[in-house]
Amino acid sequence: GDAGAAGPRVLRRAARGLTFALRVTEPPEGVARRGHTLVLVHGLHDASTTFDLVAERLAGAGYHVIAPDLRGFGASDWCSA
């Protein structure tokens, strides 16, 4: 990976009775942020981890990257409790 990259943080956010996981990758220390946020959305039967290598490279170029786990995939809820 890129030198200084910290890897994604996993955040959990509630919406409409469900909890969704979001992988957030920030530019490493010393890399100027471009001011844009990129959202990477996976397809069916996949998860946000699909984008870990891509998100790291984009963050290394200065982008703030968010990759959510869609409902029922990865670490997100399938249905409300």
Side-chain angles (χ1 to χ4, degrees):
D2 295 343
R9 290 181 296 134
V10 178
L11 305 178
R12 296 184 59 78
R13 296 292 185 257
R16 297 184 182 224
L18 299 169
T19 301
F20 294 89
L22 306 162
R23 296 176 77 78
V24 179
T25 309
E26 304 274 354
E29 190 173 325
V31 173
R33 185 167 171 175
R34 292 182 180 258
H36 298 286
T37 297
L38 303 178
V39 179
L40 307 179
V41 181
H42 66 79
L44 291 177
H45 307 293
D46 220 335
S48 62
T49 54
T50 300
F51 296 113
D52 281 353
L53 294 176
V54 172
E56 183 180 332
R57 304 254 349 227
L58 290 168
Y63 293 99
H64 176 241
V65 182
I66 299 173
D69 278 327
L70 299 180
R71 179 180 179 171
F73 297 97
S76 291
D77 291 344
W78 175 250
C79 60
S80 57

